[in-house]
Amino acid sequence: MNKNRLTLELSDQTLEKLEAYCRQSGLSEAAVIQAYLMTLGEPQSVSEQDEIIQRLEREKTDLEILLDNTMAHSDAITAQLQAAKVAAEAANQAKSVFLARMSHELRTPLNAILGFSQLLGKAEALSPPQQEQLTIINRSGEHLLNLINDILEMSKIEAGKITLNLETVDLRALLHDLHALFNLKAEAKGLQLIFDQAPDILQFVEIDSGKLRQALINLLGNAIKFTSEGCVTLRVRMGSQELEVEGRENWVEDRENSARGPLPTTLYPLPSTPTLQFEVEDTGPGIATTELETLFVAFEQTAVGRNTHQGTGLGLAISQKVIQMMGGEIIVSSQVGKGTCFRFYIPVRRSSIAIPASVLPQRKAIGLAPGQPDYRILVVDDHPDNRQLLSTLLTPIGFLVQEASNGKEAVALWQSWQPHLIWMDLRMPVMDGYEAVREIRSLETLLPKIPTNGLTKIIALTASAFKEERKIILASGFDDYLAKPFQEASIWEILVRSLNVEFLYEQQNEDKGEMMRGIDIAPLSITADALDEMSARWLSELQQAASQLKGKRVLQLIEQMPASQATLAKYLRELADSYQFDKIIKATTL
Amino acid sequence: MEIKGQEYQVTYDQAASTVTFQGELALMGMGEYPPIADLLDQTLEDASSQKPATLTLDLRELKFLNSSGINVISKFVIKVRRAGGVKMTIKGSDSIPWQAKSLVNLKRLLPSMVVDLG
């Protein structure tokens, strides 16, 4: 290389830049080129170039390892997260199972507590303070049961275990039931309970009656609980799907003071779908604006709610969830000192089949109507208390009752005693209810002919709260099921349904109310027909004798009744025998 | 010196030349890691000036580390190698699933490093 002469080739771009720099700086081209040459630095040796290449190679290797490691790490943490998810799901499942078990364990003893306190309540020998104490036991038990149900319900909703069960429902009957359920409570507090039903509401609709009842019971229960004077009103009417928000005549709508729950997660109904609109309005203390915000949040309670130390704070959260599940929405508006109004709608479909679900009023059976066979009833339960409860209910009515403490004994008794009906607990030691029913059903197939009284009806007694299990029960050979703890009336209902047993019922004491005209109340209507056959004179004599507590005269008058009136005569005689003259007057006054 | 987040904690014990990671480290992307990378750089600087030059990362309580996080630690291991002369140890736990695999892999970047999964 000639050391005195160096030819430097510059790219056009570099040359342009140098020229521009010279122009701007005013420096001579030679000086600029000299400075430029100095920035180029010293030429590198071959070994230095190799060094750079090696370093780059190492960095490349590092980056490759880094990439490999990152991918491997990513796989490892994905696997770890997946395992954690599986574990969490298993824990959630375990929680559900635990809740179901716990609910069973809690309900079983509650069954005995509630059942026996109801039974004791019938005893006439109790002193007023004892009666009152008994009422407290009963009320506390009911309260405990409600708490258990609420907590269970909420966890089922959160676990996504609740599904919509559409069925054909007699809406008027459902409302009638609700009225009957709350009227006494309202009266006891001096409140007026008004059910205002629009004349055009569909009678037979396809809805999830369980959920609708749940929502209404909660809202009405709250309204009555928190209102100390005035009235609680339920308004029901048909509507389009949106909630109407215009103010009512006597209602000042305070838009700022209203809260809307989150939008329903279910699909909106088609625009043509009719909706049922419900309004539960009270004249209670009202809810402050700040509290409206958290009104539908689980475990939050209003100040009033906390002060009364009642409930779990789950009621409204559950109501909102079930209304949303039905495709509806709930809103609330309230004014402190004036009252609160909850409004919700649910889409409904007119039922294609107009069969009234048999909605029997809560009746108390007091005996068997004459002319019926001696029914043999087997009670199977490993808890002696629960067996005794059923026996104590059934025996005085006139049933023959035997008891068994497990499935094996039940099968043996079925063979030797041939009961008409078996009340069968599901969870028992030695042999559980499912297995017992399987054995009995398979033994039945070996019978030479079907017995004259038909195959034995087997009713499952279950403390399970899960609907799925109920389906399994019916698929396992049971004819029906009864959830524990049970209402006495359900026992009679099931016996009527399964064996066509005819009962004599105690007359209803409470007036069902003018609102509910047209809903049939069985014992009254029987009495009405029957009394038509008796003369007016006979009637007035009977009532007079009864009002003067002349037992002998009453019995004489009953003797005059024709044979066709044997059932009624027997009933009246029993009333007279037990000195229930007030009931005689009530039963014969129409 | 320590850096604390909602789910994690990184503590530097200068006397023991040890950085302890605890909790779950899942910062989003490389953008959120610089404070931790800076802290690691600091420990390397401190360790290099000591005799003997040792440095320990204690990850036994680090239950979770996302990909960006392993990247930060990997790059730090490379820096340690380049600095030269620093004896590095990583303590891990074989009861935390990701550690058994990823920590051993780090040795590929610094074969002299001790990985202790005790």
Side-chain angles (χ1 to χ4, degrees), chain A residues 182-193 224 227-232 283:
Chain A
F182 284 107
N183 202 27
L184 274 183
K185 244 184 210 172
E187 268 177 19
K189 287 191 76 175
L191 300 174
Q192 210 186 339
L193 180 63
I224 291 173
T227 304
S228 48
E229 58 181 335
C231 60
V232 169
T283 53

mmCIF file of all heavy atoms in Angstrom, chain A residues 182-193 224 227-232 283:
data_model
loop_
_atom_site.group_PDB
_atom_site.id
_atom_site.type_symbol
_atom_site.label_atom_id
_atom_site.label_comp_id
_atom_site.label_asym_id
_atom_site.label_seq_id
_atom_site.Cartn_x
_atom_site.Cartn_y
_atom_site.Cartn_z
ATOM 1 N N PHE A 182 -98.771 -14.997 54.166
ATOM 2 C CA PHE A 182 -98.338 -13.760 54.816
ATOM 3 C C PHE A 182 -99.444 -13.017 55.558
ATOM 4 O O PHE A 182 -99.162 -12.124 56.336
ATOM 5 C CB PHE A 182 -97.714 -12.822 53.787
ATOM 6 C CG PHE A 182 -96.325 -13.236 53.399
ATOM 7 C CD1 PHE A 182 -96.069 -13.786 52.162
ATOM 8 C CD2 PHE A 182 -95.276 -13.101 54.297
ATOM 9 C CE1 PHE A 182 -94.794 -14.180 51.813
ATOM 10 C CE2 PHE A 182 -93.999 -13.488 53.956
ATOM 11 C CZ PHE A 182 -93.756 -14.027 52.714
ATOM 12 N N ASN A 183 -100.702 -13.389 55.274
ATOM 13 C CA ASN A 183 -101.788 -12.598 55.825
ATOM 14 C C ASN A 183 -101.774 -12.577 57.348
ATOM 15 O O ASN A 183 -101.923 -11.524 57.972
ATOM 16 C CB ASN A 183 -103.124 -13.127 55.306
ATOM 17 C CG ASN A 183 -104.192 -12.065 55.409
ATOM 18 O OD1 ASN A 183 -103.876 -10.881 55.382
ATOM 19 N ND2 ASN A 183 -105.432 -12.482 55.556
ATOM 20 N N LEU A 184 -101.553 -13.768 57.928
ATOM 21 C CA LEU A 184 -101.551 -13.842 59.392
ATOM 22 C C LEU A 184 -100.446 -12.983 59.980
ATOM 23 O O LEU A 184 -100.647 -12.257 60.938
ATOM 24 C CB LEU A 184 -101.350 -15.289 59.835
ATOM 25 C CG LEU A 184 -102.615 -16.131 59.927
ATOM 26 C CD1 LEU A 184 -102.256 -17.509 60.458
ATOM 27 C CD2 LEU A 184 -103.647 -15.458 60.807
ATOM 28 N N LYS A 185 -99.272 -13.092 59.356
ATOM 29 C CA LYS A 185 -98.128 -12.326 59.831
ATOM 30 C C LYS A 185 -98.432 -10.834 59.778
ATOM 31 O O LYS A 185 -98.105 -10.083 60.696
ATOM 32 C CB LYS A 185 -96.917 -12.624 58.937
ATOM 33 C CG LYS A 185 -95.786 -13.292 59.675
ATOM 34 C CD LYS A 185 -94.608 -13.464 58.740
ATOM 35 C CE LYS A 185 -93.820 -14.698 59.142
ATOM 36 N NZ LYS A 185 -92.782 -15.029 58.197
ATOM 37 N N ALA A 186 -99.025 -10.422 58.669
ATOM 38 C CA ALA A 186 -99.341 -9.004 58.499
ATOM 39 C C ALA A 186 -100.369 -8.577 59.543
ATOM 40 O O ALA A 186 -100.215 -7.549 60.203
ATOM 41 C CB ALA A 186 -99.859 -8.750 57.087
ATOM 42 N N GLU A 187 -101.402 -9.399 59.701
ATOM 43 C CA GLU A 187 -102.454 -9.070 60.667
ATOM 44 C C GLU A 187 -101.886 -8.964 62.073
ATOM 45 O O GLU A 187 -102.235 -8.075 62.834
ATOM 46 C CB GLU A 187 -103.558 -10.128 60.633
ATOM 47 C CG GLU A 187 -104.664 -9.781 59.679
ATOM 48 C CD GLU A 187 -105.701 -10.892 59.621
ATOM 49 O OE1 GLU A 187 -105.762 -11.726 60.555
ATOM 50 O OE2 GLU A 187 -106.442 -10.924 58.622
ATOM 51 N N ALA A 188 -100.977 -9.887 62.383
ATOM 52 C CA ALA A 188 -100.393 -9.889 63.717
ATOM 53 C C ALA A 188 -99.647 -8.587 63.995
ATOM 54 O O ALA A 188 -99.548 -8.139 65.133
ATOM 55 C CB ALA A 188 -99.443 -11.077 63.868
ATOM 56 N N LYS A 189 -99.123 -7.968 62.943
ATOM 57 C CA LYS A 189 -98.415 -6.702 63.132
ATOM 58 C C LYS A 189 -99.330 -5.498 62.914
ATOM 59 O O LYS A 189 -98.866 -4.360 62.931
ATOM 60 C CB LYS A 189 -97.239 -6.608 62.144
ATOM 61 C CG LYS A 189 -96.072 -7.503 62.494
ATOM 62 C CD LYS A 189 -94.860 -7.164 61.647
ATOM 63 C CE LYS A 189 -94.185 -5.887 62.129
ATOM 64 N NZ LYS A 189 -92.924 -5.622 61.382
ATOM 65 N N GLY A 190 -100.604 -5.769 62.667
ATOM 66 C CA GLY A 190 -101.541 -4.684 62.424
ATOM 67 C C GLY A 190 -101.353 -4.039 61.057
ATOM 68 O O GLY A 190 -101.698 -2.880 60.850
ATOM 69 N N LEU A 191 -100.780 -4.805 60.131
ATOM 70 C CA LEU A 191 -100.568 -4.256 58.791
ATOM 71 C C LEU A 191 -101.654 -4.759 57.849
ATOM 72 O O LEU A 191 -102.211 -5.829 58.039
ATOM 73 C CB LEU A 191 -99.214 -4.713 58.238
ATOM 74 C CG LEU A 191 -97.974 -4.324 59.012
ATOM 75 C CD1 LEU A 191 -96.757 -4.993 58.397
ATOM 76 C CD2 LEU A 191 -97.808 -2.810 59.002
ATOM 77 N N GLN A 192 -101.907 -3.957 56.829
ATOM 78 C CA GLN A 192 -102.846 -4.390 55.819
ATOM 79 C C GLN A 192 -102.038 -5.015 54.689
ATOM 80 O O GLN A 192 -101.052 -4.426 54.231
ATOM 81 C CB GLN A 192 -103.597 -3.165 55.309
ATOM 82 C CG GLN A 192 -104.997 -3.492 54.845
ATOM 83 C CD GLN A 192 -105.640 -2.275 54.226
ATOM 84 O OE1 GLN A 192 -105.225 -1.137 54.474
ATOM 85 N NE2 GLN A 192 -106.650 -2.509 53.423
ATOM 86 N N LEU A 193 -102.435 -6.196 54.276
ATOM 87 C CA LEU A 193 -101.737 -6.853 53.168
ATOM 88 C C LEU A 193 -102.656 -6.825 51.957
ATOM 89 O O LEU A 193 -103.718 -7.449 51.954
ATOM 90 C CB LEU A 193 -101.381 -8.296 53.543
ATOM 91 C CG LEU A 193 -100.654 -9.105 52.471
ATOM 92 C CD1 LEU A 193 -99.297 -8.506 52.145
ATOM 93 C CD2 LEU A 193 -100.490 -10.553 52.900
ATOM 94 N N ILE A 224 -92.959 -6.910 55.196
ATOM 95 C CA ILE A 224 -93.724 -7.057 56.441
ATOM 96 C C ILE A 224 -92.804 -6.925 57.652
ATOM 97 O O ILE A 224 -93.141 -6.303 58.651
ATOM 98 C CB ILE A 224 -94.484 -8.404 56.446
ATOM 99 C CG1 ILE A 224 -95.588 -8.357 55.403
ATOM 100 C CG2 ILE A 224 -95.053 -8.710 57.823
ATOM 101 C CD1 ILE A 224 -96.307 -9.662 55.185
ATOM 102 N N THR A 227 -91.868 -3.133 58.167
ATOM 103 C CA THR A 227 -92.911 -2.116 58.236
ATOM 104 C C THR A 227 -93.641 -2.250 59.558
ATOM 105 O O THR A 227 -94.075 -3.346 59.913
ATOM 106 C CB THR A 227 -93.894 -2.280 57.062
ATOM 107 O OG1 THR A 227 -93.153 -2.242 55.851
ATOM 108 C CG2 THR A 227 -94.926 -1.165 57.055
ATOM 109 N N SER A 228 -93.767 -1.136 60.286
ATOM 110 C CA SER A 228 -94.441 -1.253 61.577
ATOM 111 C C SER A 228 -95.869 -0.733 61.520
ATOM 112 O O SER A 228 -96.690 -1.085 62.362
ATOM 113 C CB SER A 228 -93.645 -0.538 62.663
ATOM 114 O OG SER A 228 -93.286 0.741 62.217
ATOM 115 N N GLU A 229 -96.187 0.119 60.553
ATOM 116 C CA GLU A 229 -97.596 0.482 60.407
ATOM 117 C C GLU A 229 -97.883 0.826 58.957
ATOM 118 O O GLU A 229 -96.994 1.184 58.195
ATOM 119 C CB GLU A 229 -97.949 1.655 61.335
ATOM 120 C CG GLU A 229 -97.116 2.888 61.108
ATOM 121 C CD GLU A 229 -97.514 4.002 62.077
ATOM 122 O OE1 GLU A 229 -98.666 4.000 62.550
ATOM 123 O OE2 GLU A 229 -96.670 4.862 62.341
ATOM 124 N N GLY A 230 -99.174 0.711 58.617
ATOM 125 C CA GLY A 230 -99.564 1.008 57.253
ATOM 126 C C GLY A 230 -99.868 -0.256 56.485
ATOM 127 O O GLY A 230 -100.501 -1.158 57.025
ATOM 128 N N CYS A 231 -99.381 -0.336 55.263
ATOM 129 C CA CYS A 231 -99.735 -1.512 54.485
ATOM 130 C C CYS A 231 -98.599 -1.964 53.579
ATOM 131 O O CYS A 231 -97.665 -1.225 53.288
ATOM 132 C CB CYS A 231 -100.995 -1.258 53.665
ATOM 133 S SG CYS A 231 -100.821 0.089 52.523
ATOM 134 N N VAL A 232 -98.716 -3.224 53.194
ATOM 135 C CA VAL A 232 -97.797 -3.822 52.234
ATOM 136 C C VAL A 232 -98.635 -4.229 51.034
ATOM 137 O O VAL A 232 -99.663 -4.884 51.190
ATOM 138 C CB VAL A 232 -97.098 -5.048 52.848
ATOM 139 C CG1 VAL A 232 -96.355 -5.831 51.776
ATOM 140 C CG2 VAL A 232 -96.147 -4.624 53.958
ATOM 141 N N THR A 283 -94.918 0.692 53.491
ATOM 142 C CA THR A 283 -94.906 2.017 54.111
ATOM 143 C C THR A 283 -93.928 1.990 55.283
ATOM 144 O O THR A 283 -94.185 2.526 56.340
ATOM 145 C CB THR A 283 -96.314 2.396 54.600
ATOM 146 O OG1 THR A 283 -96.796 1.323 55.434
ATOM 147 C CG2 THR A 283 -97.266 2.577 53.448
#
